[in-house]
Amino acid sequence: MTPATVPAAAAVIHPPKTSPWPVFWIASVAAFLVSLDATMLYAAFGALRAGFPTASPGTMSWVLNA
């Protein structure tokens, strides 16, 4: 059979099936790290505030937003 006589349906290449689990695990770890970072920041904010006594709350708010 020559390439010119191959039916069009036979020439279709299907991509390999991939698992969604790697993306799920990466997203889960990223969400956990963000929540861990926020928890530590709020716990340490009092010490940060005491370390910079002349800073106003508005000036220190960049720490929470960063």
Side-chain angles (χ1 to χ4, degrees):
M1 190 179 274
T2 63
T5 61
V6 175
V12 175
I13 298 174
H14 297 287
K17 295 187 183 218
T18 57
S19 174
W21 289 108
V23 175
F24 171 77
W25 288 116
I26 290 170
S28 297
V29 169
F32 172 73
L33 290 176
V34 168
S35 66
L36 186 65
D37 179 51
T39 301
M40 288 188 293
L41 179 63
Y42 283 113
F45 193 70
L48 287 171
R49 181 78 177 120
F52 298 98
T54 59
S56 69
T59 304
M60 291 295 291
S61 68
W62 67 269
V63 174
L64 295 174
N65 294 325

